[in-house]
Amino acid sequence: MRNTELALTVLRDPTFHGGMSTFFGSMLPSRTAQVALGRAVRDLLRVHLPSYRRTMAEAVAGLGPVSQWPGAGPLLVYRCTADVLLHPEAPPALRRQLAQAVTAGLTARQPYMRQRARAELLRPKLLAAITGHVRSRRSQSFAAAEPQDVLDAVIGTSPEELADRTVANLYVLLFQSIVGNIGYAVAWSLLLACLHHPPGPPWPWPAEWLVREAARHRPFVWMVGRPVPRPLEFGGLPFAANTVLSVSPYLLHHDTHHWDRPEAFRPERWNEPGGQGPYVPYSAGPFTCAGAAIAQSLITEAVTALAQNARLTVGGGDARPLVSGSVLPRPFTLHRALKAPAKPVLTKGGE
């Protein structure tokens, strides 16, 4: 849907928001179960945010002066979320499989056939291993008072009658969303900032503005849609029940009637009163992603750590997206040169 006013009418319509979220497909039996799972994972990530912040500083220090993106984004995020995604006491072989899945690009639908085939080859084995681990955890006679990892959160909020395989599929979906969506959003933020600011001087924007503007300029989710629950009419057009009606965050974020120079990458717009238009990088209404706020925090922490005391430049990248289910950055090289510490000013006599 291209018409912004009509799109906003749809997003605000209570009937359109009836039924279930399509994010989880048919894996959960009710909207209540969907909400419970989303909130449990969000709350768990929020608790682990301080640990994520510390680990991110260490991970960035080990990244090296030259790194290849956007693939480095999910790898960096995975390294800093590995223990909350799957507890350190989980089988080492399963943890290795998760790491391999990130390296292979399983965290997003890859735009090139060879990359996609390589990633999808790992999926059956990973799913089988996770299913076995789900079965093992569910067979335990006690449950932790609080979830230790995302898999605990999925198991704890899933109805008992849900098959182990379905629980494993839910976990993989969330694993991909956390690592992939956040990792590629970090990549977009770095690329756009470096392309739109001359190398040398520090970025003139707070990281939060930069991350918000990157999500506006290049939202990771290209389309938001769901089947209409019953025959409806929008803008004089009839839609039969179960017709998939979609709204594009990208088009809403680039509407010249609602945004000032929407094609320009301007993080400072987030400090301009009334300067923002419709902003839906995480969907809208009752189906807004439960983890929207924590995702923003995780992305911002990563960008902050990467830019801390460093001069960042990119090579080989441009702002044209690769659209393959999601909006991915084209490959680029990030050069990160640490700034030399300031020399102490010596006075007479060394004082």
Side-chain angles (χ1 to χ4, degrees):
M1 179 176 290
R2 294 184 60 90
N3 184 301
T4 295
E5 299 304 329
L6 186 54
L8 293 176
T9 298
V10 169
L11 290 174
R12 294 165 182 160
D13 185 85
T15 305
F16 178 68
H17 286 302
M20 307 268 281
S21 168
T22 55
F23 175 77
F24 295 106
S26 59
M27 289 188 283
L28 288 166
S30 67
R31 179 61 185 151
T32 300
Q34 292 180 338
V35 170
L37 175 54
R39 289 177 177 174
V41 173
R42 174 201 64 195
D43 293 345
L44 179 66
L45 290 173
R46 184 177 292 153
V47 168
H48 281 77
L49 183 58
S51 174
Y52 173 88
R53 185 181 297 117
R54 290 191 300 271
T55 310
M56 181 60 70
E58 297 169 2
V60 167
L63 191 62
V66 180
S67 50
Q68 302 303 315
W69 293 70
L75 287 169
L76 192 66
V77 171
Y78 174 72
R79 178 176 173 182
C80 301
T81 57
D83 288 351
V84 68
L85 288 167
L86 199 62
H87 194 265
E89 294 181 4
L94 180 56
R95 287 169 61 87
R96 285 195 297 270
Q97 282 182 276
L98 283 178
Q100 290 168 0
V102 179
T103 303
L106 194 59
T107 52
R109 182 176 173 81
Q110 297 300 318
Y112 303 113
M113 188 60 69
R114 180 177 296 179
Q115 292 176 323
R116 196 179 307 167
R118 180 188 174 211
E120 290 302 321
L121 280 174
L122 293 177
R123 185 185 295 273
K125 291 182 179 179
L126 176 63
L127 190 56
I130 294 172
T131 301
H133 190 54
V134 168
R135 186 177 303 113
S136 174
R137 285 202 191 187
R138 288 177 117 185
S139 67
Q140 295 176 4
S141 58
F142 64 92
E146 298 293 338
Q148 297 186 84
D149 58 20
V150 171
L151 185 55
D152 269 354
V154 176
I155 292 173
T157 55
S158 294
E160 292 183 3
E161 65 273 15
L162 220 60
D164 295 335
R165 182 87 169 186
T166 303
V167 174
N169 271 308
L170 284 167
Y171 174 78
V172 170
L173 175 65
L174 290 163
F175 162 76
Q176 291 176 300
S177 298
I178 293 167
V179 176
N181 291 19
I182 294 172
Y184 289 114
V186 172
W188 270 123
S189 299
L190 296 173
L191 175 63
L192 292 170
C194 290
L195 289 177
H196 291 86
H197 185 66
W203 293 336
W205 322 287
E208 184 178 355
W209 298 0
L210 172 59
V211 170
R212 287 187 180 277
E213 179 67 353
R216 181 202 66 83
H217 197 63
R218 292 292 183 264
F220 184 72
V221 178
W222 175 257
M223 299 292 286
V224 175
R226 63 181 56 90
V228 296
R230 61 176 176 79
L232 294 173
E233 183 176 299
F234 290 107
L237 299 173
F239 294 90
N242 296 318
T243 301
V244 176
L245 188 56
S246 298
V247 172
S248 171
Y250 181 91
L251 295 177
L252 290 180
H253 293 176
H254 288 77
D255 186 340
T256 56
H257 298 292
H258 290 79
W259 292 91
D260 175 39
R261 291 178 286 160
E263 290 305 319
F265 181 77
R266 296 180 54 246
E268 61 270 19
R269 76 171 74 244
W270 295 98
N271 194 41
E272 298 169 355
Q276 299 90 41
Y279 183 67
V280 290
Y282 302 103
S283 192
F287 292 102
T288 301
C289 174
I294 189 62
Q296 173 79 12
S297 296
L298 295 173
I299 299 163
T300 303
E301 291 290 350
V303 171
T304 299
L306 284 157
Q308 183 71 34
N309 196 37
R311 176 176 174 268
L312 303 181
T313 57
V314 298
D318 63 55
R320 294 175 300 159
L322 289 170
V323 181
S324 179
S326 301
V327 178
L328 302 179
R330 295 172 185 268
F332 66 94
T333 301
L334 179 70
H335 301 271
R336 184 173 182 270
L338 294 178
K339 298 175 184 177
K343 295 181 179 180
V345 177
L346 299 178
T347 60
K348 185 178 180 179
E351 297 179 356

